[in-house]
């Protein structure tokens, strides 16, 4: 069985989760972690056994032992990193959302198609049982077409954030709660 060399870009909550998943799977080997500041990359690399920690993701893309790159950075950074990853010939997993605009998503898709690499966007909420059940009920016609959905425990946080000056938080909460 071939071991897949994985690099993780981003050492926050999702980068840490992906690094842990790679380290726990015998099919993968965590090669490197990139993050700004570098302290996060060092912490995640040490925790999960990666040999390289860097503050420059381009260093990871140049490595011959990296087959797959996980992009788990803040949303507004996904586009440029995903394009560079595809152009480097590496398979990529981009945490949702793929990009923050349709034009940027199209740029990523074009780069992936030109390079011929395998790419996907991570929609982890699809596999949460309550979300899967809601999707099944919608598909079965038990519920009408959904326009917006919020989990009950998100309501207080949602309205508090909506009142804040972070206008894009509403977008962020919604994209993480539901996808088509």
């Amino acid at each position: 069985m071939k071991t897949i060399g994985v690099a993780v870009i981003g050492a926050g909550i999702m980068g840490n989760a992906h690094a842990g998943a790679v380290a726990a799977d015998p099919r993968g080997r965590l090669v490197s972690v990139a993050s700004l500041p570098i302290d996060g990359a060092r912490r995640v690399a040490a925790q999960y056994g990666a040999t390289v920690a860097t503050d420059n993701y381009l260093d990871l893309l140049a490595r011959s032992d990296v087959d797959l790159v996980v992009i788990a950075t803040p949303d507004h950074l996904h586009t440029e990193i995903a394009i560079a990853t595809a152009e480097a010939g590496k398979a990529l997993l981009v945490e949702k959302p793929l990009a923050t605009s349709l034009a940027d998503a199209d740029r990523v898709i074009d780069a992936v198609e030109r390079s011929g690499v395998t790419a996907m966007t991570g929609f982890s909420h699809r596999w949460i049982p309550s979300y899967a059940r809601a999707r099944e009920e919608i598909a079965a016609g038990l519920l009408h077409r959904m326009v917006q959905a919020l989990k009950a425990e998100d309501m207080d946080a949602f309205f508090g954030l909506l009142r804040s000056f972070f206008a894009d938080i509403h977008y962020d909460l919604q994209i993480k709660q539901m996808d088509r």
Side-chain angles (χ1 to χ4, degrees):
M1 167 173 65
K2 180 184 188 289
T3 302
I4 297 169
V6 180
V8 174
I9 302 174
I13 293 168
M14 293 311 297
N16 188 68
H18 283 288
V22 171
D25 192 320
R27 298 170 295 180
R29 182 174 58 86
L30 185 62
V31 173
S32 50
V33 180
S35 183
L36 288 173
I38 195 169
D39 294 345
R42 288 180 179 142
R43 177 184 45 78
V44 173
Q47 182 176 357
Y48 297 111
T51 57
V52 176
T54 182
D55 59 1
N56 185 348
Y57 75 88
L58 295 173
D59 295 343
L60 309 183
L61 301 182
R63 296 182 61 92
S64 62
D65 56 349
V66 171
D67 305 300
L68 167 66
V69 176
V70 176
I71 301 168
T73 60
D75 301 350
H76 70 282
L77 300 175
H78 290 183
T79 300
E80 297 309 321
I81 297 171
I83 290 169
T85 301
E87 289 175 348
K90 310 292 185 186
L92 59 139
L93 167 68
V94 182
E95 263 303 318
K96 65 186 171 303
L98 174 62
T100 56
S101 73
L102 179 58
D104 283 347
D106 286 341
R107 290 176 53 218
V108 172
I109 292 166
D110 288 345
V112 167
E113 288 177 345
R114 276 193 315 274
S115 69
V117 298
T118 300
M120 73 175 283
T121 302
F123 286 99
S124 56
H125 278 71
R126 278 188 184 169
W127 315 117
I128 295 173
S130 59
Y131 285 70
R133 181 173 175 197
R135 182 174 176 86
E136 290 168 3
E137 289 183 8
I138 293 166
L142 299 173
L143 301 172
H144 293 286
R145 186 179 188 289
M146 298 291 288
V147 176
Q148 181 179 24
L150 290 172
K151 296 186 309 186
E153 65 262 22
D154 290 338
M155 294 305 288
D156 289 339
F158 170 73
F159 286 114
L161 290 170
L162 191 60
R163 286 187 297 267
S164 75
F165 63 92
F166 294 109
D168 63 337
I169 295 293
H170 180 243
Y171 151 81
D172 189 56
L173 284 171
Q174 295 311 302
I175 197 69
K176 289 180 173 28
Q177 295 302 325
M178 186 173 178
D179 72 272
R180 289 185 184 241

